[in-house]
Structures are given as C-alpha cells and as structure tokens.
Amino acid sequence: MDRKARVTRKDVAQKAGVSVATVSYVLNHTKTVSEEVEARVKEAARELRYQPNLIARSLITKRSMHVAILVDNLNNPYYIKLLEGAQKLAAKKGYIVALMLQDHLNSENLDQLVSRQMDGLVVTTQKWKGIYERIGSLIPCIGPQDYSNKLLIDYRHAMFEAVKTIKRYGHRRVAAICGLEQGTDDPRIRNLKEALENEGMEVDQELFIWGDKDSETTVTKGYQAMDQLLKRGREFTAVFAMNDLMAIGAMRCLREHKLRIPEDISLWGCDNDDRDEDLQIPLSSIDVAPKSIGEELMRMLLAEIEGSQVTEKTIRGVFVERESIGVCKH
C-alpha cells in the first residue's frame, strides 16, 4: 500500500484561502497577521494534520526550534515549577525544550549544545558565570541576575518583612544555613544581613553556616548544616534556610535534638514549596513565583534568539508567614 502523500503548505493555503507565504508567517511566527486569518490557517493545518518539515525549515531559518534549560536538581519543586512556566511559553512559540541537570554537565556537553545547533540556553544554576563565559558568545544564554541584569529576582522586601516579623516576636539572635560556598554574593544572604542591620540586630558570622564548592541546597545539606550550627554552641532562636528543602532538613535535625518549632526555634525558608503545608509544622517561606520566573527567562531567551529587544523585568518576592515562626520564649 502506498504511503499517503505528505500534506504541504500549499494544501493548507488552499484550504484556508490564503497564500503560501501567509501560512509560513503564521506557522513560523515571522510576521503578524490578523487574528481571523491566523485562526483559519491553524484550523486548516489541524484538519489536514499538517506536519512541517523541521529539518528543511532549519536549513533555511538557521534555527533548530530547540532550546535547553539547565537546573540544579529535580528534587526541588522550585525547578519543576520554573520548567513548567518556561515550557508553556516555549510551546506557544513552537519550540521544544530539553532539560539538562547541572550534575551531568561538563565542558564537552556545553560544546555539544553549540555543535547540535541548539538555539539557546536558559541557565538557572549558581554556576551561571562559568557557563556564560564558555558559550555565551556562541549561542544566546539567559539567566537570573545575568550580566545585563535582564531579570532580577527581588528578595529584599520579603526578607525585610520576615526579619521585622521575627523581631516583633522577640527574636534577636538569627542564624542562616546557606548551602552555598562561603563568599558567594547571593542576594538572599545579602538581604538577610541588610535586614538584620536595619532592625538593629547583630549579624554574627559564626551563626552563618556555609556549604562546600558543590553548592548543594538539599534536604540532606539542610540537616547537616543545622547539626553543624547546633554543635557550635552559639545562642540563636531563629534560622533562615536558603530554600525550603534545606529548611525541611533543618526541621528534621531540630526534632532529633528534641527542639520544638517554633517554641524553641523559629524557622523560615525560601521558594514557598507546595509540600510545606503537608509538613508537621507548616513552614514560613519567601514566595518568588518560580513559574513566572520560568516564563520570563524563556521570554527573554526567545526574544534574544529572534533578534527582538529584551526588556528588563523584576519579580518581587513575598513573605508568607506560617506556624514555623512564633514568639521567642528565651
């Protein structure tokens, strides 16, 4: 049996009552047409089950319609939400999104991204600078707080609200489990110190627990950091965790040391993980809308790929208070 003849753009154009060029404008997103014409073309393409020859198109447009997003790990719901936002926007524009994990990435993998004609890369990891320096001049790369400050994640207002809240509850000695290598200029830690100083509270460097060069912010690292903090023997009554995963690990460690939350130690994290409400003690957190971050990063990447102006954007965090913060009893 002969294979059914392949549907062409000419077939779609005839069914929609438009020119072949108009079909190309609509399907390639290269020129704006009226909503009515766009709807007719898309409906005709659906009815005919038209499938464009992407390989042939890429030879003409010099685009593969394939982008990648690099994340630290998939155990953190923050990255799942970020990926969801990024992929939703990319799909609307006809792009396929490949997911890459930082742990499996090396210089050879980065070079392959370029050689495989990947159109662009969204980077969401702490190692953004090294990646940009290696391939940023070869393919478009976008990341939060990048060299052009195109997307700013503003934690400052939310962190100041968190510190005001714990001060109102009587806390004066605040610790932080950072997960990052000491000396990393992360806005969350920088804003925490600024907020403490603004409220006239001491910034005790011995109460800041840093990570190693791997910069992991997992449940296990949160447990280990809290254990290290307790062993230092320094007085504290409230703790900020770099993200909610580390906060969950810290909670487990505190329970094993027979310390109650919030009666003995108040605690808050960052990312506003959906699982927080399922914890034994609902966790206070800073919500930075990761789905919106994913959408904005992808919007900026596609704009750069398509040669459009990349507009700046700020996403402002919000402090969400729950039962993990309470009145200081000491």
Side-chain angles (χ1 to χ4, degrees):
M1 182 180 294
D2 293 336
R3 181 175 295 178
K4 185 178 179 180
R6 183 183 182 92
V7 176
T8 67
R9 292 195 176 189
K10 184 177 180 180
D11 298 323
V12 176
Q14 288 177 344
K15 186 170 183 63
V18 299
S19 68
V20 174
T22 299
V23 173
S24 297
Y25 296 152
V26 173
L27 299 183
N28 291 336
H29 310 284
T30 53
K31 189 173 181 179
T32 302
V33 300
S34 70
E35 292 184 1
E36 187 269 335
V37 169
E38 182 178 355
R40 287 207 329 257
V41 170
K42 289 183 176 179
E43 180 61 25
R46 279 194 295 270
E47 290 182 6
L48 295 175
R49 296 186 179 181
Y50 171 71
Q51 296 294 327
N53 187 329
L54 297 181
I55 295 177
R57 185 169 70 180
S58 68
L59 294 175
I60 298 173
T61 64
K62 306 302 182 183
R63 294 182 193 163
S64 64
M65 303 301 289
H66 202 169
V67 296
I69 182 167
L70 179 64
V71 302
D72 278 324
N73 66 74
L74 292 179
N75 293 321
N76 191 341
Y78 170 87
Y79 290 115
I80 301 298
K81 292 179 182 178
L82 189 149
L83 177 62
E84 181 183 352
Q87 193 158 9
K88 180 180 178 181
L89 182 63
K92 288 181 180 179
K93 295 287 190 176
Y95 284 81
I96 294 175
V97 181
L99 178 65
M100 300 182 66
L101 295 178
Q102 176 69 62
D103 291 347
H104 302 153
L105 188 70
N106 53 37
S107 298
E108 183 178 345
N109 298 140
L110 286 173
D111 293 339
Q112 287 177 354
L113 280 178
V114 179
S115 64
R116 291 174 185 270
Q117 295 186 316
M118 193 72 68
D119 287 338
L121 177 65
V122 171
V123 184
T124 68
T125 74
Q126 290 291 329
K127 298 183 179 180
W128 155 254
K129 184 176 179 180
I131 293 169
Y132 186 88
E133 288 176 345
R134 185 170 183 88
I135 65 171
S137 62
L138 302 175
I139 63 172
C141 295
I142 292 290
Q145 280 91 26
D146 68 9
Y147 291 137
S148 302
N149 286 322
K150 297 183 182 73
L151 178 59
L152 175 65
I153 314 302
D154 182 6
Y155 300 95
R156 192 174 189 275
H157 176 77
M159 190 66 76
F160 271 56
E161 285 299 310
V163 172
K164 285 180 182 178
T165 299
I166 63 170
K167 182 181 180 181
R168 187 171 69 248
Y169 287 142
H171 297 276
R172 294 296 182 271
R173 300 280 295 171
V174 180
I177 52 177
C178 307
L180 307 179
E181 190 173 7
Q182 188 165 7
T184 303
D185 184 28
D186 186 271
R188 289 164 288 188
I189 300 303
R190 183 173 68 251
N191 293 160
L192 173 63
K193 291 178 178 179
E194 291 173 353
L196 292 174
E197 291 172 349
N198 185 67
E199 295 296 330
M201 300 162 71
E202 180 184 2
V203 177
D204 186 346
Q205 297 295 342
E206 287 298 309
L207 294 179
F208 283 69
I209 306 298
W210 297 91
D212 52 30
K213 62 181 180 180
D214 293 329
S215 297
E216 292 184 346
T217 53
T218 62
V219 173
T220 299
K221 292 294 185 179
Y223 181 100
Q224 294 171 349
M226 179 56 74
D227 187 59
Q228 183 181 349
L229 178 61
L230 293 171
K231 288 177 178 176
R232 288 191 178 181
R234 305 281 289 188
E235 180 187 355
F236 66 94
T237 61
V239 181
F240 167 67
M242 179 64 74
N243 63 17
D244 289 354
L245 288 183
M246 294 195 77
I248 291 170
M251 281 181 160
R252 293 177 182 174
C253 182
L254 289 170
R255 284 198 298 269
E256 289 188 13
H257 284 81
K258 309 301 181 185
L259 292 169
R260 300 166 300 166
I261 302 170
E263 290 84 356
D264 298 312
I265 301 292
S266 285
L267 177 70
W268 80 100
C270 187
D271 295 343
N272 200 29
D273 183 350
D274 288 341
R275 295 179 302 175
D276 294 348
E277 296 180 358
D278 299 325
L279 297 174
Q280 191 173 12
I281 303 294
L283 178 64
S284 299
S285 188
I286 293 175
D287 188 350
V288 289
K291 189 181 295 186
S292 296
I293 291 175
E295 289 179 0
E296 286 301 325
L297 288 172
M298 186 58 67
R299 178 183 64 80
M300 291 176 176
L301 179 66
L302 298 186
E304 189 159 317
I305 290 171
E306 295 166 4
S308 304
Q309 182 177 2
V310 181
T311 56
E312 297 179 359
K313 176 76 174 184
T314 297
I315 294 180
R316 195 179 193 186
V318 177
F319 176 58
V320 181
E321 182 184 350
R322 298 192 180 95
E323 284 86 336
S324 67
I325 288 180
V327 175
C328 179
K329 299 296 179 63
H330 303 285

